[in-house]
Amino acid sequence: MRVAILADIHGNLPACEAVLEDIARVAPDYIVAAGDLALRGAHPRETVELLFDRCDAILMGNTDCYLAGHYLGGAYRERDHWKTELLQWTRDQLGDPWLKKLGALPFSQRYSPRKGQDLFVCHANPRNLEDSLDPTLDENTIRRYFQNLDAAACAFGHLHFPYRRRVGRLLIADVASAGIPRDGDLRPAYGVFTFTPKGWRVQIRRVRYPVRKATQALTARRVPGGPLLIHKLVEARYRHHKALMEAARRHSGLPPPGPVLRPPPGANIPHRAPTPLELPVVAAAPPMLLKQAAGDEEHHHAAAVEDEPTPLSTVTDLDG
């Protein structure tokens, strides 16, 4: 059995299309969208329509709850915050029928290739929609989220940061974000869980996509908070990125990065295109929005400035 899981798409239609195209090449048995489908992107309705058309299961995320009116979290509760305008704009784009569908989404999904070997899929963690399973969490804290879960593996998103970890015999993995990753890699990510004779194996796949379409759409469609959303889209990391990366590599069994090798003075270095992290920021956020965003680490956003996707994806095998 093979299950593809994409999460945290956030209305980024070009990224969603690229991920689903790569999933079609992988040809899994099931496709799951694990929540946070629409809010914070320029194409919320088109993205939701595509996901409902292509996925076998669609789960609820915290921002889907905000849109449906179940409850509000963070700055979305503040009357004069730009996120309140963004919430209403997204609701208007979706319309009542889609809002009702988002409000009726299930919390989780299970896949059972064999008795006692279930794969449990949810948005943030098996207990709620809000708490991020940060790779830096200590063993006792992380165990509390899974102590009542009867499964062999658990897939989730919400943090937008891919990693794999063992909690006792349970394999857990954050499949990161298909719309706005925040692990320093500007490409969308999703996970593929494969059941083998030795148990569940997980891979993280990365794809490239025309990010310029996503950034330009935020401006062209006058999305509330657009300049700041673009800024976050190309930022691609949290302020505590180094600590997250070190913990993720340790849990995933990956070696630490080697030393940076620099050419000797006077060496003839051939011209190369800049890497995504070296590309210029598309737009700077206004000072007031940046002030509001100080400390705004709500598990969201990343990408680059490229015009054409490449046909190949990158695969990271995280099961050691």
Side-chain angles (χ1 to χ4, degrees):
M1 179 184 290
R2 181 176 292 177
V3 184
I5 304 159
L6 64 160
D8 301 287
I9 305 95
H10 289 286
N12 187 341
L13 183 62
C16 185
E17 291 172 334
V19 168
L20 288 172
E21 181 180 342
D22 192 67
I23 289 176
R25 287 192 288 267
V26 173
D29 299 294
Y30 303 99
I31 304 173
V32 184
D36 279 10
L37 313 178
L39 189 62
R40 299 183 76 111
H43 297 94
R45 179 168 184 149
E46 296 89 337
T47 302
V48 169
E49 289 174 344
L50 180 61
L51 290 168
F52 270 76
D53 180 61
R54 300 285 185 87
C55 296
D56 300 289
I58 298 182
L59 308 181
M60 181 174 288
N62 59 304
T63 62
D64 305 313
C65 274
Y66 305 165
L67 289 168
H70 291 344
Y71 73 95
L72 294 176
Y76 293 100
R77 293 175 292 194
E78 300 178 20
R79 179 172 300 180
D80 297 326
H81 201 283
W82 64 270
K83 289 184 178 180
T84 304
E85 297 180 33
L86 174 63
L87 187 72
Q88 188 57 53
W89 180 88
T90 307
R91 284 172 172 166
D92 293 341
Q93 294 292 313
L94 287 167
D96 288 340
W98 279 115
L99 291 174
K100 290 179 181 179
K101 287 185 179 182
L102 293 184
L105 292 174
F107 177 84
S108 63
Q109 177 74 19
R110 280 181 180 266
Y111 293 95
S112 304
R114 198 169 66 196
K115 185 177 180 180
Q117 295 294 324
D118 286 10
L119 167 64
F120 182 88
V121 188
C122 57
H123 174 63
N125 67 75
R127 295 172 57 180
N128 60 60
L129 297 174
E130 293 288 347
D131 293 346
S132 296
L133 297 181
D134 191 311
T136 62
L137 291 177
D138 63 75
E139 190 71 16
N140 289 335
T141 300
I142 199 77
R143 280 181 177 273
R144 284 199 290 269
Y145 286 99
F146 297 97
Q147 60 185 358
N148 297 317
L149 180 63
D150 180 19
C154 179
F156 54 91
H158 193 55
L159 183 63
H160 299 211
F161 198 103
Y163 74 96
R164 159 265 198 206
R165 184 171 180 171
R166 287 280 177 182
V167 181
R169 295 183 178 180
L170 177 70
L171 170 66
I172 71 171
D174 189 320
V175 300
S177 172
I180 38 181
R182 299 206 67 178
D183 63 331
D185 190 329
L186 305 176
R187 297 168 299 169
Y190 74 96
V192 178
F193 276 73
T194 304
F195 187 72
T196 73
K198 294 184 179 180
W200 286 100
R201 170 189 177 193
V202 58
Q203 292 180 332
I204 300 297
R205 295 179 68 89
R206 312 296 297 238
V207 302
R208 298 181 67 177
Y209 78 110
V211 185
R212 194 180 301 276
K213 288 184 179 180
T215 57
Q216 289 180 340
L218 288 165
T219 300
R221 306 198 74 182
R222 300 178 182 271
V223 180
L228 181 56
L229 294 175
I230 293 173
H231 175 81
K232 288 289 184 180
L233 194 66
V234 299
E235 186 181 34
R237 62 182 61 201
Y238 294 104
R239 286 177 297 176
H240 57 307
H241 172 79
K242 184 177 180 180
L244 287 170
M245 186 63 71
E246 289 176 351
R249 296 184 72 89
R250 183 174 68 253
H251 292 307
S252 300
L254 299 175
V260 177
L261 300 179
R262 302 185 182 279
N268 183 19
I269 307 301
H271 173 75
R272 64 170 178 81
T275 64
L277 288 176
E278 296 170 334
L279 291 168
V281 173
V282 177
M288 182 56 67
L289 285 181
L290 288 175
K291 184 177 180 181
Q292 288 184 356
D296 180 13
E297 295 294 306
E298 278 192 50
H299 340 294
H300 298 296
H301 301 39
V305 186
E306 304 167 57
D307 288 317
E308 297 298 334
T310 60
L312 299 178
S313 60
T314 298
V315 180
T316 303
D317 192 336
L318 294 182
D319 73 342

